[in-house]
Amino acid sequence: MEVPFLPSTRDAALSQALIAAIDNKTKPRGSLGMLESLALQAGLVQGTTSPRLHGASMLVFAGDHGVVEEGVSAYPQSVTWQMVENFLAGGAAINVFARQSGMALHIIDAGVNHDFGKRDGLISRKVGPGTRNFAQQPAMTAGECETALRHGMALVADLGANANVLGFGEMGIGNTTAAAAIIHKLADTPIADCIGAGTGLSADAILHKGRVIEMAVAHHSHATAPLDVLATFGGFEIAMMVGAMLKAAERRMMLLIDGFIVTSALLVAARLQPSILDYCVFCHCSNEHGHRHVLKKLHATPILQLDLRLGEGTGCALALPILQAAVNFLSQMATFDSAQVCTK
Amino acid sequence: MEVPFLPSTRDAALSQALIAAIDNKTKPRGSLGMLESLALQAGLVQGTTSPRLHGASMLVFAGDHGVVEEGVSAYPQSVTWQMVENFLAGGAAINVFARQSGMALHIIDAGVNHDFGKRDGLISRKVGPGTRNFAQQPAMTAGECETALRHGMALVADLGANANVLGFGEMGIGNTTAAAAIIHKLADTPIADCIGAGTGLSADAILHKGRVIEMAVAHHSHATAPLDVLATFGGFEIAMMVGAMLKAAERRMMLLIDGFIVTSALLVAARLQPSILDYCVFCHCSNEHGHRHVLKKLHATPILQLDLRLGEGTGCALALPILQAAVNFLSQMATFDSAQVCTK
């Protein structure tokens, strides 16, 4: 299938103008550290020396995973739909943090193994009742994968011009196993470096999870192209995020990247369109073993390091104020001239 | 002089109740990382399982330093008063970030070498027109130091019950030199580990700054008690912060600790009243060489690592939303029971 072409945001003249504007603010050069690189990036994504954020929104994609049959998760599959209910009732961590950060929260059923019926506040894009067990067969067909990608793109297109910064979150029991397999395949990272405790596995259970992935990878050795890897090991929520990310970057939004699973979706998108990384803000380094490795592969510097390992997009909502501060200092601080402060 | 006695916030029964409340929230145990320890700390400081933040305020203390005569700063001394004018006009980084974080901003002239006259928005507690050059003589007399401490305590007493979280910031050309000397003396840290670029020194100039401190420390070898060290090497803004911190902890506020200079003030306070650390939130690890060392000595885990080196309390304003998120998840998230989500 065709995916949007994403140009690099590189622009030498605009970079120079942005750096001059940043350096003219009343502070020692470079003293706002990562906020200065975020301000530069925001300017480049928006193609202006006066970037602004508006309509910050969070998309949380939920989906189930057949591979839980192999005993790879500490929690039963039913927790996926129960947590979706929790999102709808406003009681989960992402509800609290999105509310605090002023983000509009959208919950999408990408493929949960549960019939929610018609529900206010739930965006139903169910591709199927969870994926198949990839230890036995591909998690989805190429057609299902394409459907998920298209839904993701359409969801972002529907947001229109109402938002220019978009957070990505997920919920899906078993999805650290899917993400680990994708990262192993697409980032050339040893399986041992991709697996972690997820929601709370013991050391033995982590080893078992590694063996499940190892056997599945051997079984599906033909899958090497990004979309094949996605269809073989991914989840409906992961595939839908890939589509949403590609469309968001095409719309020149800034993409807030959360933890391990969201980064696995980004990895697929980046293998299709490498310049997508220009649009991404890496919100945090998660405590899920493996996230650190994939961030390094992507040459990504995360904003926060708070030992989070929750998902749901929580890292995005927590990091948004830092991105906002970067944009705000650029637009609101005085210059040495305007404030009549001596330079060196 | 007498300083407030600060009890530890330790409370085994309350800790147990807070940890149970945190673990009952709908998330895997420990998955909110540092937010969980912040929530626990907030509960212990406030003596409740339902901590709340209100009236978050930022105190920015400005003062000048006689030691700038030795050529230890990249900027001229006049930048101190010019930046105070910038604070009053709303154009500095701390104005932008405090506004964004909803913090009330208070600017205090603790001892700037400039006559501001009577000015709206400037709290005048000028102990003197800058300290003396500590390369030649003690920066202040014991009496001046005590005056500064008392002013700091009174300022916080005046805030009354209107705030329970207080950020500390500073402005003062030359004050990384004063802070380095204090940290060297009180944290038993080699001078080379205490000195850095400040507002932007060259490598040679940093070495010179180190030699100035080395000679001054030899000259004032008798100064070892915390308040003697503070009077000998400190600044009026640093001493006033020490007083303000002690009073804030006595009022059971949470103290937001900014960068290198604010941490040097805290070090003095902690040598007087070690339990003050129970009340402190370490907002960030600054890019000023030496901050990392003193944080380690204090066994402090900073919230942010953004390579900031600006001061003004900017790190506090940027970290406040994370502390707020910690308090919010504890008060607003559903429990496994209330949301009917399966535990393992």
Side-chain angles (χ1 to χ4, degrees):
Chain A
M1 70 176 286
E2 263 190 52
V3 300
F5 168 74
L6 300 179
S8 165
T9 66
R10 272 196 304 267
D11 179 332
L14 179 57
S15 284
Q16 207 170 9
L18 280 159
I19 290 167
I22 290 166
D23 286 348
N24 276 329
K25 297 297 181 180
T26 47
K27 58 170 188 57
R29 277 193 185 193
S31 62
L32 283 176
M34 195 182 300
L35 271 67
E36 300 195 12
S37 24
L38 288 168
L40 175 61
Q41 183 189 7
L44 289 172
V45 168
Q46 298 184 11
T48 172
T49 54
S50 311
R52 296 286 185 277
L53 303 181
H54 64 85
S57 300
M58 172 69 65
L59 302 179
V60 180
F61 298 87
D64 272 312
H65 293 260
V67 72
V68 296
E69 287 172 15
E70 305 295 325
V72 291
S73 179
Y75 283 81
Q77 188 176 67
S78 55
V79 166
T80 304
W81 74 258
Q82 290 165 354
M83 282 302 296
V84 169
E85 290 287 353
N86 199 14
F87 297 151
L88 297 177
I94 189 56
N95 298 97
V96 175
F97 300 156
R99 196 155 55 222
Q100 182 185 325
S101 292
M103 300 180 90
L105 180 59
H106 305 280
I107 309 297
I108 301 111
D109 175 6
V112 179
N113 186 13
H114 180 77
D115 184 3
F116 293 99
K118 201 168 156 52
R119 293 290 299 279
D120 275 357
L122 181 63
I123 302 171
S124 180
R125 296 290 183 277
K126 199 191 284 284
V127 182
T131 54
R132 293 169 199 89
N133 179 356
F134 70 65
Q136 313 284 345
Q137 56 192 309
M140 46 187 129
T141 65
E144 287 168 336
C145 187
E146 190 169 327
T147 300
L149 288 161
R150 286 193 195 286
H151 278 318
M153 288 192 250
L155 281 166
V156 171
D158 287 348
L159 287 174
N162 297 325
N164 68 6
V165 55
L166 206 50
F168 295 86
E170 44 58 48
M171 175 69 217
I173 294 298
N175 65 7
T176 59
T177 303
I182 291 171
I183 291 168
H184 164 66
K185 291 290 288 186
L186 295 185
D188 194 25
T189 303
I191 291 175
D193 288 344
C194 298
I195 53 171
T199 50
L201 290 177
S202 67
D204 275 356
I206 295 174
L207 288 176
H208 170 67
K209 179 168 158 180
R211 280 192 300 269
V212 169
I213 296 173
E214 202 174 336
M215 286 192 293
V217 162
H219 184 66
H220 302 296
S221 58
H222 62 280
T224 53
L227 290 184
D228 284 348
V229 169
L230 178 63
T232 306
F233 303 102
F236 295 132
E237 84 283 33
I238 296 176
M240 217 170 281
M241 274 196 282
V242 174
M245 287 173 176
L246 290 164
K247 179 57 78 180
E250 187 190 34
R251 295 286 175 111
R252 293 194 88 89
M253 295 176 175
M254 297 194 84
L255 279 58
L256 302 177
I257 305 302
D258 191 33
F260 185 65
I261 293 117
V262 175
T263 308
S264 80
L266 175 64
L267 192 61
V268 176
R271 285 290 302 274
L272 298 169
Q273 290 289 331
S275 290
I276 197 171
L277 298 176
D278 290 1
Y279 302 79
C280 291
V281 171
F282 291 89
C283 291
H284 75 119
C285 180
S286 135
N287 207 21
E288 173 69 10
H289 185 74
H291 195 214
R292 188 176 310 275
H293 291 281
V294 63
L295 287 176
K296 205 170 160 190
K297 290 269 180 185
L298 293 171
H299 307 289
T301 308
I303 294 179
L304 301 173
Q305 291 153 72
L306 298 172
D307 288 340
L308 308 174
R309 51 177 177 81
L310 179 52
E312 303 178 4
T314 46
C316 305
L318 292 170
L320 177 63
I322 301 291
L323 177 62
Q324 186 68 63
V327 167
N328 284 351
F329 95 75
L330 184 57
S331 65
Q332 297 174 20
M333 269 181 79
T335 63
F336 281 102
D337 263 2
S338 72
Q340 297 181 284
V341 173
C342 298
T343 53
K344 283 186 216 185
Chain B
M1 70 176 288
E2 265 190 51
V3 299
F5 168 73
L6 301 179
S8 165
T9 66
R10 273 195 303 267
D11 178 333
L14 178 57
S15 285
Q16 206 169 10
L18 279 160
I19 290 166
I22 291 167
D23 286 347
N24 276 329
K25 298 297 180 179
T26 46
K27 58 172 188 54
R29 279 195 182 190
S31 63
L32 283 176
M34 195 183 300
L35 270 67
E36 301 195 13
S37 23
L38 288 169
L40 175 61
Q41 184 189 7
L44 289 172
V45 169
Q46 297 184 11
T48 171
T49 53
S50 311
R52 295 287 184 278
L53 303 182
H54 65 85
S57 301
M58 171 69 66
L59 302 179
V60 181
F61 297 87
D64 272 312
H65 293 258
V67 73
V68 296
E69 288 171 16
E70 305 295 325
V72 291
S73 178
Y75 283 82
Q77 189 177 65
S78 56
V79 166
T80 305
W81 73 258
Q82 290 164 356
M83 283 301 297
V84 169
E85 290 287 353
N86 198 14
F87 297 152
L88 297 177
I94 188 57
N95 298 98
V96 175
F97 299 157
R99 198 156 52 224
Q100 182 185 324
S101 292
M103 300 180 89
L105 179 60
H106 305 279
I107 309 298
I108 301 109
D109 175 7
V112 179
N113 186 13
H114 181 75
D115 183 3
F116 292 100
K118 201 170 157 49
R119 294 289 302 278
D120 275 358
L122 181 63
I123 301 171
S124 180
R125 296 291 184 276
K126 199 191 283 288
V127 182
T131 54
R132 294 169 197 89
N133 179 356
F134 71 65
Q136 313 285 343
Q137 55 192 308
M140 47 187 127
T141 64
E144 287 168 338
C145 186
E146 190 170 326
T147 300
L149 288 161
R150 286 192 194 286
H151 278 320
M153 289 192 249
L155 280 165
V156 171
D158 287 348
L159 287 175
N162 297 325
N164 67 7
V165 56
L166 206 50
F168 295 87
E170 44 58 47
M171 175 69 217
I173 294 299
N175 66 8
T176 59
T177 303
I182 291 171
I183 291 168
H184 164 66
K185 290 290 288 187
L186 295 185
D188 196 24
T189 304
I191 291 174
D193 287 346
C194 298
I195 53 170
T199 50
L201 291 177
S202 67
D204 275 356
I206 296 173
L207 288 177
H208 170 68
K209 179 170 159 179
R211 282 192 299 269
V212 168
I213 296 173
E214 201 175 335
M215 286 191 293
V217 162
H219 185 65
H220 301 295
S221 57
H222 61 281
T224 52
L227 290 184
D228 285 346
V229 169
L230 178 63
T232 305
F233 303 102
F236 296 131
E237 84 283 32
I238 296 176
M240 218 170 278
M241 274 196 282
V242 174
M245 287 172 175
L246 289 164
K247 179 58 76 177
E250 188 190 32
R251 295 286 176 106
R252 294 193 87 91
M253 295 176 173
M254 297 194 83
L255 281 56
L256 302 177
I257 305 302
D258 190 32
F260 185 65
I261 293 117
V262 175
T263 308
S264 79
L266 175 64
L267 192 60
V268 176
R271 286 290 301 274
L272 298 169
Q273 289 289 331
S275 291
I276 197 170
L277 298 176
D278 290 1
Y279 303 79
C280 292
V281 171
F282 291 89
C283 291
H284 74 120
C285 181
S286 136
N287 205 23
E288 173 70 8
H289 184 74
H291 196 213
R292 188 176 310 275
H293 291 282
V294 61
L295 288 175
K296 205 170 161 191
K297 290 269 179 184
L298 292 171
H299 308 290
T301 308
I303 294 179
L304 301 173
Q305 290 154 75
L306 298 173
D307 287 340
L308 307 175
R309 50 178 177 81
L310 179 53
E312 302 178 4
T314 46
C316 306
L318 293 170
L320 178 62
I322 302 291
L323 177 62
Q324 186 67 63
V327 167
N328 285 350
F329 94 75
L330 184 57
S331 64
Q332 298 173 20
M333 271 181 78
T335 63
F336 281 102
D337 263 3
S338 72
Q340 297 181 283
V341 173
C342 297
T343 53
K344 287 184 215 185

